[in-house]
Amino acid sequence: MNTIEIIEKVSVEVTINGQRQRRDVEPRMLLVQFIRDELRLTGTHIGCDTTYCGACTVLLNGEPVKSCTVLAAQADQCEILTVEGLEQDGKLHPLQEAFAEHHGLQCGYCTPGMLMSSVALLADNPSPGRKEIRKGIAGNLCRCTGYHNIFKAVEAAAEEMREGADHGHQI
Amino acid sequence: MTWVGKSLRRKEDDRLIRGRGLFTDDELAPGMLHLYILRSPYAHARILDVDVSAAEALPGVACTLTGREVAELCDPYMQLAPGPAANIRDLPMAVDKVVYQGEPVAAVAATSAAIAMDAGLLIEVDYEMLDSVMDVEQSLQDDTVLHDAAGTNRVWHGVFDYGDVDKAFAEAAHVVRIDRLHFHRYSSTPLENNACVAEWTRQGTVEFLCNNSFPGFAQQLLAPGLRLRTDQLHIRTYDVGGSFGNKIWNYVYMALAALASRKAGGQRVKWSEIRTEHLLASGHGNERTFLDTEVALDANGVLTAIRSRHLDDCGAYTRYEPLGCVIWSQVTPATYGIRNLRIDFTQAVTNKCPVVPNRGYSRMQHLWFMERVLDICAHELGIPADEMRLRNYIREFPYETPNGCIYDSGNYPAMLDKAKALIGWDDWQKKQAEARADGRLLGIGIGTTLDSGTNNFGQAQIMNPDLPFSGNSEVATMKLDLEGQIVVCLGTGPSGQGHETAASQVVADELNISPDSVYVRPGFDTAWNTFVGHSGTYASQFAVTGLSAVHGACQKLKAEMRRLAAFMLEAAEEDLDFCTGEEGPELRIKGTDRAINYWFLSNLVNNNNAMLPESLADVTLNVRHVYRPPFKVPDTERKFGNLTLTYAAQLHIAVIEVDRETGRPKILAYSAVDDCGKVINPKIAAGQVHGATNHGIGAALMESFNYDEIGNLLTSTFSDYCPITSMNIPDVQYGNIETPSPFSYNGAKGMGEGGGGPLHTIAAALQDALFAEGIIIDDSHHSPSRVFDRLQEPNRDRRVSVRSG
């Protein structure tokens, strides 16, 4: 007869989009479930079960990670940024603006992950060429746009961020 | 100011870029249960026993479901097929046997998704494995029958015979015979999996939040399946993360969530499919084999006749099928003037995942076939690819095809010119000559595709004359709300196509206001009374059906507003203008400053109506318009009639080099020209073209559902299925032309399904690269290993023969 042992919960405390949050969760809980189900930030999506699609991408201590492949417990005491944290003081992040302006999204399901990977890309490389943009979002699937307009949106946002250093975004 | 035709930024984006959309899986509520579906590891097996006792004993489990229970609580879904296949018992869960890997055999609802899965793994199922039927030709032998109630694996058979085929063959200058072509199995796999939240209320109704993309159809299957009336179902969608047709039959799973809620005493139950489930068991595109094709041509290489046998593999259940057995005939001659065709069409079940409409549904398989035929003939007769097309293209529009379809408008030669200019045709011709001199394998291919839109459901009667379907319709409701806002509801239930924005553009033009003043409710909701049986987003039709419905609703609302305003302003109706004044939208007496605004009009009806005369008693400022295209029931005996209203077209050119050592095909250049008639929102239309092109390139070079001989799906995760990424998509040169449709009020054609374009084009480019190696491109999928195998074993001698004179 199979039995399942009930394991005690672990405490996870994170700073997410600038806010301190603590929850007691099952040790097996994934970070993406923690973000979506415990903290109710449902902008971060789930699109696969093999760390392939990147819909769940968030920044963990500034690094892009696929939050379906990180345990919530591993994120304890970390800083997390999700799509909900991109807009600051009512002002959209230049990448958010550019994705809308250049039609870099259709159904919008990949968009949060795509935005977070792009944020990380531009933090690393403010002037990426087309090849570097392709590589920067290679871990993020989009099934609607054919990527064409996403490339254009990232290029436009990069330009905006270089030229308008005063756009006010700290990200 | 005219808004239609502008690249307006999408309304939908405001929430989606902020992560504030509402996708079904985002719904979470206290006490909600989560459903786990246990699926068959076998493709074909008898179920001897299902033991759920250990699962039910696990703390947190609310209930389980087995096939036997489901069979007691449900009626099998209505089958569309005539004859023996009508007896297939399609229930949401397997009862006595499973017929494909991934078919549901049991389910558990528990307080968390993790506990539900834990419990699911405690369910013990005893199976007795049966022989699997993995090939359509083997299936038709009926040695092993999947559905005992049908007694045969053959689902449908019909002959489509037009013109005088035998005479054309007797008079032919050349006859080309192609023994076998194969269109592979793939799907466009939306990034959001299927999901639903169901609540079987104590009042006996069922509330659904879901991501079904054809809810008009789904509710007509779900309600009788659950033994309810359609008005007892409340179905709504909000944001849907792509569908491409694939979410049309997720109603099968919606029933399981509803039954679990019922058994759990009415608690809400959420089912969120995981990706592996999606790839295993949520619908694949139709796989088709083309046998014994013979093509008659005149001395100039003009196609005069085709006869061929087509076998469609629909997987384990028919579901939306066998509609695909007729849908392809919307584009019977493709873009060519051929008048004599005899297609013998058969569909059969196999132990694979059931098929589902997939972007370009059924037409692209046929168009791929027609393009292969034309392209192989061009190579065999030594006619250049572009010249071959120009000799065969239809040039006069409207054009009646041999089976009675009316191509509304088009200009294929102009598209070819544009695609050539975009890619630099002459330059590539030179480079090709150089490459060939160096022994390199470089090919240039052309693919012409039709995206027929706005179905005449009367074609269902060609498949089964007893089906009560014909015509088409879509609905929009529109009101001037209490504070004077314009509120529009659509029946279409979009999944990323920007319907809120496009509808706003139409309304803004009609009322002469800003699109910002128009609120289009997201999603679909049966409670709005904004649905007909055809409601949904499928078959490339929104620009025609959806927007015609919105346009019609505008006329009705405007007529009411005009009557009210004329009364209040003591003016003649014809003296009133719809315009935007200093305080916003209003009706104004021409040439004066006397006006009445929308709030005042709405208030007159809704709050302050004692002064209204009897003559305005019928004014509600809440209108509903149903658009019906002008279709007739086809002649089902002759399989003849107009099956679709509009014909958008795509013309692609690809340059591909094949690595002789590894077989790897690499796209060196690609151009894509689209014609969808008058464009409503160029940005949105271009986005559809980009996406469809992406799907087609992915399907041709990467994506394929591969089964082993006993029915294991070998590509059941994204890691194995390899959806196309940003690293694989080439830089595509996009362009468009506009040939307005004479059949839609706005000149637009439905569009978005040009997914097949790259499949034809890439096959043609590979053909051009490899013909000299003695290779005929006979499959739609070109992985490096397949191309490598072809290079080792050329097939031209056994695939093709030519008889001239």
Side-chain angles (χ1 to χ4, degrees), chain A residues 11-49:
Chain A
S11 170
V12 175
E13 188 172 11
V14 299
T15 302
I16 186 160
N17 303 330
Q19 288 197 331
R20 205 89 182 133
Q21 296 278 8
R22 199 187 73 81
R23 297 284 189 281
D24 294 331
V25 300
E26 281 191 56
R28 64 175 168 176
M29 178 174 270
L30 302 172
L31 179 57
V32 68
Q33 294 165 334
F34 182 77
I35 292 169
R36 288 176 55 81
D37 299 345
E38 293 292 329
L39 307 182
R40 299 302 292 135
L41 292 168
T42 53
T44 302
H45 299 145
I46 301 171
C48 77
D49 45 3

Side-chain angles (χ1 to χ4, degrees), chain A residues 1-2 4 28 36-37 40 42-43 45-50 52-53 55 83-84 87 92 96-97 99-103 105-112 115 130 134-135 137-138 141-149 151, chain B residues 9-10 13 16-20 23 25-26 28 54 114 118 122 187-189 191-193 240-242 244 274-276 495-496 683-684 687-688 690-691 694-695 703 717-719 722-727 729-731 734:
Chain A
M1 188 66 199
N2 291 311
I4 287 173
R28 64 175 168 176
R36 288 176 55 81
D37 299 345
R40 299 302 292 135
T42 53
H45 299 145
I46 301 171
C48 77
D49 45 3
T50 50
Y52 195 94
C53 81
V83 66
E84 290 92 342
E87 188 177 9
L92 290 174
Q96 290 174 304
E97 278 289 350
F99 267 63
E101 202 51 44
H102 293 271
H103 194 31
L105 67 154
Q106 289 180 29
C107 79
Y109 200 77
C110 76
T111 311
L115 284 168
R130 187 57 75 92
R134 285 175 179 274
K135 217 170 158 186
I137 60 166
L141 283 184
C142 172
R143 297 300 281 170
C144 294
T145 65
Y147 304 103
H148 189 79
N149 286 346
F151 300 152
Chain B
R9 176 160 157 163
R10 295 195 325 167
D13 294 350
L16 295 173
I17 53 172
R18 290 176 168 89
R20 290 187 201 158
F23 295 93
D25 189 39
D26 298 342
L28 195 66
D118 289 342
L122 296 176
S187 79
S188 294
T189 56
L191 197 59
E192 180 205 31
N193 288 304
V240 177
F244 318 115
I274 62 172
R275 180 56 57 182
T276 301
S495 42
K683 197 148 74 173
I684 292 176
Q688 289 294 315
H690 301 170
N694 187 58
H695 280 174
E703 305 174 24
T717 72
F718 266 166
S719 308
C722 294
I724 186 166
T725 74
S726 59
M727 299 299 283
I729 182 81
D731 281 324
Y734 289 105

Side-chain angles (χ1 to χ4, degrees), chain B residues 173-174 296-304 374 377-378 381 383 387-389 391-392:
Chain B
H174 309 282
L297 300 101
D298 72 11
N300 292 320
V302 174
L303 272 66
T304 56
L374 184 100
C377 289
L381 301 180
I383 301 170
E387 184 57 34
M388 186 69 173
R389 269 102 187 146
R391 289 183 198 177
N392 281 280

Side-chain angles (χ1 to χ4, degrees), chain B residues 309-551:
Chain B
R309 273 198 309 135
H310 298 182
L311 307 181
D312 193 86
D313 173 352
C314 73
Y317 287 97
T318 47
R319 307 252 155 103
Y320 202 72
E321 296 301 320
L323 281 178
C325 297
V326 173
I327 298 265
W328 65 268
S329 68
Q330 296 168 8
V331 294
T332 297
T335 50
Y336 307 113
I338 182 168
R339 300 299 305 174
N340 308 296
L341 300 99
R342 187 186 300 139
I343 308 290
D344 184 300
F345 199 102
T346 306
Q347 186 175 62
V349 288
T350 59
N351 291 119
K352 302 179 195 171
C353 176
V355 298
V356 69
N358 186 67
R359 198 173 205 166
Y361 173 45
S362 189
R363 291 97 87 209
M364 76 177 152
Q365 286 83 349
H366 181 70
L367 290 163
W368 181 83
F369 162 77
M370 291 295 288
E371 290 289 303
R372 286 309 316 119
V373 161
L374 184 100
D375 197 62
I376 290 170
C377 289
H379 278 88
E380 291 291 345
L381 301 180
I383 301 170
D386 53 344
E387 184 57 34
M388 186 69 173
R389 269 102 187 146
L390 289 171
R391 289 183 198 177
N392 281 280
Y393 279 146
I394 293 163
R395 308 236 175 190
E396 301 288 329
F397 297 91
Y399 178 82
E400 187 180 280
T401 67
N403 61 324
C405 291
I406 311 292
Y407 290 2
D408 52 345
S409 63
N411 189 341
Y412 313 134
M415 294 175 81
L416 179 59
D417 283 346
K418 189 149 195 170
K420 279 181 166 183
L422 283 169
I423 207 164
W425 176 266
D426 294 339
D427 214 31
W428 278 112
Q429 295 287 324
K430 281 185 210 134
K431 285 183 191 161
Q432 184 182 42
E434 290 161 16
R436 284 183 172 168
D438 291 345
R440 285 158 54 210
L441 304 171
L442 191 142
I444 305 171
I446 300 168
T448 320
T449 312
L450 289 172
D451 181 3
S452 45
T454 304
N455 270 343
N456 174 0
F457 277 79
Q459 65 203 284
Q461 296 185 26
I462 292 176
M463 184 272 288
N464 179 356
D466 294 332
L467 286 182
F469 305 128
S470 70
N472 195 335
S473 51
E474 190 50 276
V475 57
T477 51
M478 188 169 172
K479 63 179 174 178
L480 201 57
D481 218 340
L482 296 183
E483 292 177 312
Q485 310 97 331
I486 295 287
V487 179
V488 181
C489 299
L490 305 172
T492 51
S495 42
Q497 300 86 353
H499 290 185
E500 293 164 45
T501 307
S504 301
Q505 290 175 262
V506 169
V507 175
D509 278 357
E510 288 304 311
L511 296 177
N512 204 8
I513 59 178
S514 160
D516 294 341
S517 304
V518 182
Y519 176 59
V520 182
R521 289 195 164 151
F524 172 93
D525 194 327
T526 52
W528 298 337
N529 195 26
T530 313
F531 66 87
V532 285
H534 302 118
S535 282
T537 291
Y538 60 93
S540 293
Q541 58 180 23
F542 174 74
V544 175
T545 58
L547 292 183
S548 294
V550 169
H551 182 259

Side-chain angles (χ1 to χ4, degrees), chain B residues 17-68:
Chain B
I17 53 172
R18 290 176 168 89
R20 290 187 201 158
L22 173 62
F23 295 93
T24 303
D25 189 39
D26 298 342
E27 189 86 336
L28 195 66
M32 183 185 267
L33 299 173
H34 300 260
L35 190 72
Y36 174 80
I37 297 175
L38 183 71
R39 294 172 182 277
S40 168
Y42 301 116
H44 198 193
R46 219 168 283 292
I47 298 171
L48 303 178
D49 186 47
V50 181
D51 181 356
V52 293
S53 54
E56 289 191 329
L58 192 72
V61 169
C63 69
T64 61
L65 284 175
T66 64
R68 293 206 177 282

Side-chain angles (χ1 to χ4, degrees), chain B residues 618-639:
Chain B
D618 60 319
V619 169
T620 63
L621 298 179
N622 190 340
V623 302
R624 180 175 192 269
H625 183 75
V626 177
Y627 165 74
R628 296 188 191 96
F631 285 130
K632 294 190 168 54
V633 178
D635 178 338
T636 57
E637 280 294 308
R638 289 169 60 215
K639 299 184 174 61

